[in-house]
Amino acid sequence: MRERVKVFTHASGEGSTVADTALQDMLNEWLTQNEGQILRITQSESPRPGKGQHVTICIWYVPS
């Protein structure tokens, strides 16, 4: 099986957004450097006391 998954995580500060963060930059950099077919993308969020939201993004793909 050639399917792979890439996981990105980010802990945002209180009141900050996921857009325009280091997470967005990491995703865009990874996407430009990796050829292949994206099969599925998932996102989950959970609160972390005193740290804001913890966001996890998973990208399932088949490498070229």
Side-chain angles (χ1 to χ4, degrees), residues 9-57:
T9 62
H10 176 74
S12 68
E14 292 292 337
S16 70
T17 64
V18 175
D20 300 321
T21 65
L23 177 61
Q24 179 175 299
D25 293 339
M26 286 188 302
L27 284 164
N28 285 328
E29 183 178 333
W30 184 84
L31 287 168
T32 60
Q33 294 177 0
N34 290 276
E35 299 283 329
Q37 176 187 6
I38 293 176
L39 303 175
R40 180 177 45 175
I41 299 174
T42 61
Q43 174 183 328
S44 63
E45 299 179 28
S46 60
R48 298 289 167 98
K51 296 182 182 177
Q53 289 291 102
H54 184 265
V55 178
T56 300
I57 296 174

